[in-house]
Amino acid sequence: MGPMTETATTRIGVCNLCEAICGLELTVEDGRVTKVRGNPEDPLSRGHICPKGVAIADVYEDPDRLRQPVRRVVAEDGEVSWQQIGWDEAFDLVADGMAAALNDHGRDALAVYLGNPNVHSLGSMTHGLGLVKALPTRNKFSATSVDQLPHQLVAHLMYGHQLLLPIPDLDRTDLFLVFGANPMASNGSLMTVPDFPTRLRELKARGGQMVVFDPRRTETAKLAHEHHFIRPGTDVHVLLAMVQVLFAEGLTTPPDHVTGLDEVAQAVAGFTPERAAEVSGVPAETIRRVARDFAAAESAAAYGRIGVSTTRWGTAAQWAVQLLNLLTGNLDRAGGTITTTPAIDLVGRRIIGRGHYDLWRSRVRGVPEAGGELPVAVLREEIETPGPGQVRALLTLSGNPVLSTPDGGALDAALSGLDFMAAVDIYINETTRHADVILPPTTALERDHYDLVFHVLAVRNTARFTPAVFEKSRDQRHDWEIYRELALRTTRRLNRKATWRQRLTFRARMSLSPTFLVGQLLRSGRSGVTISQLRKQPSGVDLGPLQPGQLPDRLVTKDKTVHAAPPLLLEEVARLDAEPAPDPDELLLIGRRHLQDCNSWLHNADRLVRGRARHQLLMNPTDLATRGLVDGQEVKVESRVGQVLVEVQGTEDVMPGVVCLPHGYGHQRGGTRMHRAAQLPGVSINDLTDADVLDVSGNAALSGVPVRVATAG
Ligand SMILES: Nc1nc2c(c(=O)[nH]1)N[C@H]1C(S)=C(S)[C@@H](COP(=O)(O)OP(=O)(O)OC[C@H]3O[C@@H](n4cnc5c(=O)[nH]c(N)nc54)[C@H](O)[C@@H]3O)O[C@H]1N2
Ligand SMILES: Nc1nc2c(c(=O)[nH]1)N[C@H]1C(S)=C(S)[C@@H](COP(=O)(O)OP(=O)(O)OC[C@H]3O[C@@H](n4cnc5c(=O)[nH]c(N)nc54)[C@H](O)[C@@H]3O)O[C@H]1N2
Ligand code: SF4
Ligand SMILES: [Mo]
């Protein structure tokens, strides 16, 4: 053994790359991570790790990752270069740019976009939201409106709080009914379940079943007892038909604390399995039988995720998912779906607000806000359309909307027309390359973590505090420090200032560290868990399985009932009813995730991008044949908004009439600084998705996009 190993230490870490929040055990030698494995002592993840968890060290060590602020410099010949600058200068530049937009062009002239990693960072949760609140603009956007907005709107309308989301009690359920989710690849979403493969094996071992509806025979579908192909975007029909069957066959056993059941029965009466079969391709008999099985099961949990949310009828479909659980008595029952009781209760203590809807509308298209945000699908038009309130400056916080939002290609072009743009991000990528200044925070291994969000969504109640594995260097900043500086320096520059008292309070609050705040939140909660206990047990504290029997107490509705028939949803279903049946001959585009991808940004890690290519357009062999196409050739995919050229791969795993592209690819656009990523083949699915098609919540309809596929050239 060489001298290197003598300095090896084992450290407990946590992976923040997806919602599974796996506990890690890292071997550190001379400041380098030499080994990463799942922490077997972790009460939630129980030793699970996926390939991305190992790559967390690659991000830490990546030479392409920014560690110092950079400023974009454009030479006379148009050549772009990036110049390293000091933090103080960088903060001033960004505060100047944002304040100038607000002072010169009005309160809405600055837009903010928050990307996905914000919910995976403690500092962002404690301080990023403070920054966003301090900016007077209504042009607030986030990845929520290309993701889970329908879930939040339904929870707000039915249960009174946007984050009061019942979670499948996976460890006890007898029947797990899945629409539009692929937890074998995603490791669960709005259902934190680190070791899904193990828990699924356990479910099967105790005689439970999993039934999956998905247009693709996914990794999850292949492990299911039943998998049913379903035409993209038609889940709402199948789900409402299941609800209709429950009423028609007298299979409803709802609890007492529910209002609006008669209205629901009336609203769904016309949505028969026969009608659903016509649009969805799922036989009426299957719909009937699954509904009966669901009602008859000792316990059952219906779950719909991004394949359902990101459709034109996402909110109505998520409502129907909730109704299935509610009407069969599975809401709040062991083995059904249950609201969690985390040590830091964001919901019960109103740390996050209840949510709202349509308090104001977007300037150009007039779409409603939801929970204080406008749909990111309208960002481009707010930048490009002149007039009072036009967006002139943009701040993105760990996001990549050029690759992640509908018609991202057009947004890409719009960004170069801004007066000013700044980004808080660790990479120069397809979006941040437009920024005048990029401020890079520390990454996961360099900061303390307590997961404020995902304990709230987990299939088991646990608590865990993970101190930083590496100390940051003096010339680095944590995200919360960046957010504090931006908030303080920008508000100080505004013409319309807060009172000195307000400013003092704000400064004091923004100066408390995230870790201190976690300690405070734990102390003032009712769990009995303290930060010192968590420090002694870095693997985490087990608080037990989900606890049924919390309703109606935990409801946040004024009358403490579940609102089964929110007026907005009755209207939405009436609209659906009046809608002509979709064209059965249309070819529809859906997305996919791979275990080794992480939205758009982990493609610079070697170990995650080597191996078999996985960027191809998947297409059923019969669809290839009717177009005279062959497996492996380059094809042109065209939608209303754009076109891409990509290699096609024939597979029986996608249903006829459906094609499938991964999301988060397309790094060849000029200017990214991720060297390996730029060489990865593949195109952006969001060069094809349509920013004009929104769900009632404002969520983008990214799934089920009509496309044509033909020979390239
Ligand atoms: N067609 C289609 N589009 C989709 C989806 C889909 O399924 N299909 N999925 C949607 C979903 S669910 C989501 S959540 C969105 C994601 O959309 P976005 O959040 O816009 O995109 P990400 O790819 O997650 O980009 C994350 C960015 O954060 C940076 N980053 C990583 N870690 C940190 C950090 O610790 N701090 C900071 N400051 N930055 C960091 C990365 O460099 C990257 O630029 O995409 C959505 N878009
Ligand atoms: N490996 C990996 N894990 C991730 C991520 C990642 O990028 N990579 N991203 C994380 C994020 S931000 C999120 S939000 C979660 C998402 O977690 P999931 O929702 O599990 O995400 P997907 O794997 O995209 O699964 C969506 C499924 O819906 C199907 N689908 C598409 N359209 C329809 C439809 O109309 N109806 C039905 N019934 N199904 C449809 C797709 O075929 C796909 O199998 O994953 C998280 N975990
Ligand atoms: S499943 Fe998610 S949290 Fe766990 S190691 Fe993989 S990326 Fe990290
Ligand atoms: Mo997401």
Side-chain angles (χ1 to χ4, degrees):
M1 291 255 164
M4 293 288 279
T5 47
E6 285 168 22
T7 61
T9 53
T10 303
R11 301 291 306 271
I12 300 298
V14 59
C15 179
N16 71 337
L17 294 172
C18 87
E19 298 179 34
I21 59 172
C22 294
L24 305 178
E25 211 181 80
L26 304 133
T27 308
V28 178
E29 299 178 48
D30 289 337
R32 292 204 59 200
V33 179
T34 51
K35 193 172 165 200
V36 185
R37 53 178 217 134
N39 177 8
E41 305 297 321
D42 190 289
L44 184 63
S45 64
R46 308 185 296 185
H48 183 79
I49 186 169
C50 86
K52 293 189 297 302
V54 180
I56 204 158
D58 303 356
V59 173
Y60 173 66
E61 283 161 16
D62 189 348
D64 286 344
R65 170 164 75 87
L66 299 175
R67 287 160 176 84
Q68 288 259 298
V70 289
R71 175 185 194 166
R72 188 164 49 91
V73 182
V74 187
E76 259 168 38
D77 61 358
E79 181 90 19
V80 172
S81 62
W82 294 91
Q83 180 194 2
Q84 272 202 8
I85 54 174
W87 282 101
D88 201 48
E89 183 187 355
F91 287 137
D92 277 341
L93 278 171
V94 177
D96 282 341
M98 298 203 294
L102 294 166
N103 288 337
D104 300 348
H105 301 286
R107 57 173 279 192
D108 294 324
L110 170 70
V112 194
Y113 172 83
L114 282 82
N116 168 277
N118 283 291
V119 288
H120 296 279
S121 160
L122 171 63
S124 176
M125 289 306 295
T126 54
H127 290 70
L129 302 181
L131 163 65
V132 171
K133 248 193 192 151
L135 301 171
T137 176
R138 284 180 168 180
N139 281 310
K140 289 171 180 158
F141 305 91
S142 86
T144 293
S145 57
V146 281
D147 188 348
Q148 82 284 0
L149 188 52
H151 298 253
Q152 290 183 211
L153 183 57
V154 165
H156 167 70
L157 295 172
M158 292 182 79
Y159 310 123
H161 193 291
Q162 58 180 337
L163 282 188
L164 193 56
L165 299 166
I167 305 303
D169 186 11
L170 203 59
D171 289 343
R172 286 178 291 198
T173 196
D174 294 299
L175 175 57
F176 184 40
L177 177 58
V178 180
F179 286 84
N182 186 12
M184 284 301 290
S186 70
N187 280 288
S189 181
L190 301 185
M191 174 179 73
T192 284
V193 46
D195 49 352
F196 182 78
T198 311
R199 287 183 205 255
L200 178 61
R201 266 198 304 278
E202 291 168 356
L203 179 146
K204 289 177 170 178
R206 60 172 193 269
Q209 304 232 324
M210 177 168 74
V211 175
V212 173
F213 287 79
D214 199 301
R216 180 165 76 92
R217 193 177 295 115
T218 61
E219 297 77 359
T220 305
K222 284 175 181 163
L223 295 174
H225 292 82
E226 292 177 27
H227 165 236
H228 304 286
F229 278 138
I230 181 170
R231 281 277 286 170
T234 66
D235 301 73
V236 64
H237 287 276
V238 171
L239 284 157
L240 289 176
M242 288 181 177
V243 174
Q244 189 269 348
V245 169
L246 297 181
F247 281 111
E249 302 189 2
L251 301 175
T252 60
T253 52
D256 292 336
H257 44 267
V258 183
T259 46
L261 288 177
D262 293 345
E263 286 99 317
V264 175
Q266 223 174 355
V268 302
F271 289 91
T272 59
E274 283 69 23
R275 181 175 167 190
E278 254 172 61
V279 294
S280 69
V282 182
E285 244 347 276
T286 304
I287 298 173
R288 259 199 194 91
R289 183 183 48 75
V290 174
R292 289 174 189 148
D293 289 352
F294 195 82
E298 194 97 357
S299 70
Y303 167 73
R305 199 44 197 102
I306 195 159
V308 177
S309 321
T310 54
T311 63
R312 162 62 191 91
W313 304 99
T315 300
Q318 294 300 348
W319 174 57
V321 168
Q322 297 303 318
L323 288 175
L324 279 182
N325 293 318
L326 175 71
L327 293 169
T328 52
N330 279 299
L331 175 66
D332 201 27
R333 166 200 280 177
T337 58
I338 305 178
T339 53
T340 60
T341 41
I344 297 180
D345 185 3
L346 294 186
V347 175
R349 301 183 47 207
R350 309 289 190 278
I351 296 166
I352 299 270
R354 300 178 48 211
H356 41 77
Y357 177 73
D358 204 7
L359 296 187
W360 61 86
R361 294 192 169 200
S362 70
R363 176 181 65 109
V364 179
R365 211 189 299 182
V367 292
E369 63 79 33
E373 288 180 21
L374 291 168
V376 67
V378 312
L379 174 57
R380 174 177 74 104
E381 70 210 30
E382 294 297 333
I383 294 173
E384 288 185 335
T385 314
Q390 181 184 2
V391 169
R392 311 294 277 266
L394 174 68
L395 173 68
T396 65
L397 309 178
S398 41
N400 193 3
V402 167
L403 291 194
S404 60
T405 68
D407 201 3
L411 179 66
D412 195 2
L415 294 183
S416 44
L418 288 165
D419 293 350
F420 179 77
M421 177 175 160
V424 179
D425 206 293
I426 54 176
Y427 286 109
I428 299 173
N429 64 21
E430 298 74 17
T431 301
T432 61
R433 71 191 177 105
H434 293 286
D436 295 286
V437 181
I438 306 176
L439 306 164
T442 53
T443 52
L445 297 182
E446 302 160 287
R447 58 198 186 204
D448 296 352
H449 190 64
Y450 181 98
D451 215 301
L452 289 176
V453 177
F454 295 106
H455 287 305
V456 178
L457 304 173
V459 298
R460 188 174 181 90
N461 290 310
T462 61
R464 179 185 57 204
F465 176 77
T466 318
V469 175
F470 295 111
E471 219 172 299
K472 75 173 170 70
S473 66
R474 276 181 53 188
D475 49 7
Q476 279 184 294
R477 295 289 180 278
H478 292 305
D479 50 7
W480 70 272
E481 295 172 308
I482 296 175
Y483 294 147
R484 178 191 61 193
E485 277 320 298
L486 292 185
L488 297 179
R489 294 191 197 207
T490 307
T491 48
R492 199 187 301 146
R493 284 164 166 80
L494 295 184
N495 291 342
R496 277 185 46 192
K497 283 194 184 58
T499 64
W500 67 267
R501 191 185 291 274
Q502 285 168 328
R503 274 187 285 160
L504 221 61
T505 321
F506 185 62
R507 167 178 287 278
R509 192 163 58 75
M510 292 296 274
S511 299
L512 300 171
S513 79
T515 303
F516 177 83
L517 290 169
V518 166
Q520 238 185 6
L521 286 167
L522 284 170
R523 211 168 23 248
S524 57
R526 276 181 301 186
S527 67
V529 176
T530 62
I531 190 99
S532 54
Q533 178 189 7
L534 293 183
R535 281 190 189 276
K536 278 183 218 130
Q537 276 173 269
S539 293
V541 170
D542 190 14
L543 302 172
L546 300 182
Q547 292 166 27
Q550 297 174 58
L551 303 190
D553 274 7
R554 202 156 160 73
L555 294 171
V556 189
T557 48
K558 285 207 183 76
D559 59 3
K560 289 277 179 197
T561 70
V562 174
H563 295 183
L568 183 74
L569 283 158
L570 297 180
E571 288 159 25
E572 186 67 349
V573 169
R575 276 190 288 269
L576 175 67
D577 202 16
E579 181 97 342
D583 179 355
D585 296 326
E586 259 174 349
L587 191 59
L588 301 178
L589 173 69
I590 63 168
R592 68 173 178 274
R593 286 179 159 72
H594 188 280
L595 191 57
Q596 287 173 222
D597 291 325
C598 183
N599 294 325
S600 75
W601 72 275
L602 265 193
H603 285 149
N604 217 34
D606 241 348
R607 75 178 88 226
L608 296 181
V609 296
R610 32 170 202 247
R612 276 231 310 270
R614 49 180 197 263
H615 62 280
Q616 297 93 336
L617 180 80
L618 304 181
M619 192 171 199
N620 191 280
T622 57
D623 288 325
L624 281 176
T626 53
R627 286 165 184 78
L629 302 171
V630 293
D631 181 272
Q633 88 177 81
E634 190 177 60
V635 294
K636 180 171 76 176
V637 190
E638 216 177 339
S639 72
R640 190 188 75 79
V641 307
Q643 63 172 59
V644 299
L645 299 177
V646 67
E647 186 187 334
V648 72
Q649 185 181 333
T651 170
E652 302 274 354
D653 284 344
V654 287
M655 71 188 287
V658 174
V659 287
C660 177
L661 268 179
H663 131 76
Y665 283 68
H667 302 291
Q668 300 79 8
R669 283 183 160 82
T672 100
R673 277 286 221 62
M674 292 185 281
H675 296 101
R676 274 153 300 205
Q679 273 152 52
L680 194 68
V683 293
S684 174
I685 186 174
N686 286 319
D687 286 345
L688 297 168
T689 53
D690 194 334
D692 281 0
V693 192
L694 302 185
D695 168 56
V696 68
S697 64
N699 209 75
L702 303 168
S703 202
V705 178
V707 291
R708 291 170 302 281
V709 177
T711 314

